[in-house]
Amino acid sequence: MEGEAGDGGSPEEGSDAGELIAFTDDEEPEDDDARRARSRRTLLLLAGGGTAVLVAAGLAGALALVHPLMGPDDFQGQGAGSVVVEIPPGASAGQIAEVLARAGVVASARAFVGAVEQRGEEGNLRPGRYRLRRRMAAASALDLLLAPGSRIRRRVLIPEGLRGVETAARLAQGTGLPADQFTAIIAKPDGLGLPAYAKGAAEGFLFPATYDVERATTPRDLVRAMIRRFRHAAAHLDLEEGAKKIHLHPREVVIVASIAQAEGGRVDDYPKIARVIYNRLASGAKLEMDSTVMYGLGKHGIVASNAEIKRDTPYNTYMHRGLPPGPISNPGEAALRAALQPAKGDWYWFVTIDPEHRITKFTDKESEFVKLREELNKRLGQH
């Protein structure tokens, strides 16, 4: 289809409809100023439909040349040297970009924000201290921020079976924060998210795991994190529903798990220990667990002396029937699972005959229990 080109002429015959046609008016000579002015007025004609659409001449080519110049400043490559930056909690991609730009990591905040938006990583940026390099391409800086190895942090390992006071000491040792602050918070954990069935006591609910410690982490933050991890494990195990199935209160499940954790040498023994506890509870017998006696006395060990057994505390299960009033350790997930899913068996007693190698034997015969106890006493007497 042919179309009018206005005063500047018409397209050649055979030109395709929609073809972009550049044209100029060369009838009169021009001086340099006139030529520059004319260049700015150069137009493209889009032929078709009988309508002339005027577009700035050379638009596509101009954009191709100008766009790189219009983009944000950015370094090239992986950078060099080392610099530590701290990303505050709740910082947006723009705020993080400003931190990086001020530290000389990236050439401009805009370049970093652009890299984040292009890859959709804003939700994956985390607070903390990071070791980066100076003069990095924005994309390379983003890669390092997302790499776990770039994050500078301390880690504290809390093993299974520690008591609250021991947990406080371990946290203080691993973080350098005051032990008395941990102790005070554990003693009064108000507002830290304990489940209602904990009855306001943290013992038993300080979940053993490895915890990351940032520079801004406080003792209260860490204790809250431990309780949050317990709740996560409890949800994973469906602890509350599981407790109903075995006709226990959720807190009682944690108490049983804490005894299994304190008494057990190996993970495989936990379900058997839980079964011994349930068998004794069902028969109305006293639990007679040395670990509970020692907890009530503020001591450690799984073998109580005759004198210790005769000392009355709420945790003396040689004197008092039923479960002790609260957990005696902070159990891990394996012990919690064992309390919810005890092994099947008629065992009524167990003895860890070799504490060093964590060898425990189970029996439903009192005569065999006596022999196992004698074997343990003999071993302990030799050491």
Side-chain angles (χ1 to χ4, degrees):
M1 177 184 295
E2 295 182 352
E4 295 184 357
D7 293 339
S10 61
E12 298 178 359
E13 289 187 12
S15 63
D16 293 334
E19 179 184 355
L20 290 176
I21 304 170
F23 66 93
T24 58
D25 183 356
D26 291 329
E27 293 180 359
E28 296 181 6
E30 298 175 318
D31 58 20
D32 290 343
D33 289 340
R35 187 177 296 108
R36 283 192 293 269
R38 180 180 57 75
S39 296
R40 289 194 294 269
R41 292 194 301 271
T42 300
L43 301 175
L44 293 176
L45 174 62
L46 177 61
T51 302
V53 181
L54 300 182
V55 185
L59 180 60
L63 285 177
L65 293 174
V66 174
H67 186 269
L69 302 176
M70 295 176 61
D73 293 338
D74 196 4
F75 296 129
Q76 300 297 314
Q78 300 295 315
S82 178
V83 59
V84 174
V85 299
E86 183 162 358
I87 306 303
S92 66
Q95 292 168 323
I96 294 172
E98 293 292 344
V99 171
L100 299 181
R102 286 196 299 270
V105 175
V106 297
S108 68
R110 285 179 59 207
F112 182 79
V113 171
V116 172
E117 291 178 347
Q118 184 178 16
R119 290 165 53 179
E121 295 285 8
E122 183 162 9
N124 295 322
L125 298 173
R126 297 287 181 266
R129 301 176 72 224
Y130 294 84
R131 191 177 304 281
L132 306 177
R133 294 186 287 272
R134 296 186 188 279
R135 301 180 67 82
M136 301 184 71
S140 298
L142 177 59
D143 288 339
L144 269 190
L145 277 181
L146 296 174
S150 302
R151 194 171 177 185
I152 302 172
R153 54 190 174 187
R154 301 177 73 174
R155 310 194 89 181
V156 182
L157 171 62
I158 304 299
E160 293 88 347
L162 294 185
R163 299 174 184 176
V165 291
E166 296 168 322
T167 300
R170 184 66 67 97
L171 289 170
Q173 181 182 13
T175 64
L177 299 172
D180 58 350
Q181 291 187 22
F182 286 109
T183 302
I185 293 166
I186 290 172
K188 192 175 181 181
D190 298 347
L192 296 184
L194 281 169
Y197 55 82
K199 298 184 178 179
E203 189 77 282
F205 302 91
L206 303 172
F207 196 77
T210 298
Y211 293 91
D212 293 330
V213 183
E214 308 289 354
R215 191 161 69 173
T217 301
T218 67
R220 193 171 180 84
D221 292 334
L222 271 176
V223 177
R224 181 185 288 110
M226 299 185 79
I227 294 172
R228 185 165 57 246
R229 285 292 298 273
F230 171 87
R231 296 187 72 124
H232 177 79
H236 175 68
L237 295 170
D238 202 7
L239 189 147
E240 294 189 51
E241 285 301 314
K244 292 179 182 178
K245 292 179 181 178
I246 57 176
H247 309 293
L248 290 180
H249 188 275
R251 179 177 170 81
E252 293 176 318
V253 171
V254 178
I255 294 173
V256 172
S258 75
I259 297 174
Q261 187 78 71
E263 290 273 4
R266 300 178 179 178
V267 172
D268 291 345
D269 292 331
Y270 298 165
K272 295 180 181 180
I273 293 173
R275 173 51 63 194
V276 170
I277 293 172
Y278 294 141
N279 286 345
R280 296 182 75 88
L281 289 174
S283 70
K286 296 172 183 174
L287 292 185
E288 297 182 351
M289 300 284 177
D290 289 15
S291 58
T292 66
V293 172
M294 301 300 274
Y295 181 86
L297 296 175
K299 298 181 179 182
H300 288 83
I302 57 173
V303 180
S305 67
N306 289 330
E308 289 167 337
I309 289 172
K310 293 177 181 177
R311 292 184 59 182
D312 191 2
T313 76
Y315 289 84
N316 189 328
T317 53
Y318 281 84
M319 291 186 169
H320 305 286
R321 295 184 186 278
L323 292 170
I328 65 170
S329 73
N330 289 283
E333 187 165 327
L336 290 167
R337 182 180 291 106
L340 289 168
Q341 302 171 14
K344 294 181 179 180
D346 298 326
W347 309 294
Y348 209 67
W349 294 273
F350 65 89
V351 178
T352 303
I353 60 171
D354 187 350
E356 183 178 354
H357 297 96
R358 299 187 296 178
I359 298 175
T360 303
K361 292 189 176 182
F362 298 80
T363 182
D364 59 352
K365 297 180 176 62
E366 186 171 7
S367 59
E368 187 174 349
F369 164 70
V370 172
K371 291 179 180 179
L372 293 173
R373 188 78 181 203
E374 290 173 350
E375 183 179 348
L376 171 61
N377 290 336
K378 182 179 179 181
R379 184 181 299 275
L380 295 176
Q382 290 175 345
H383 291 79

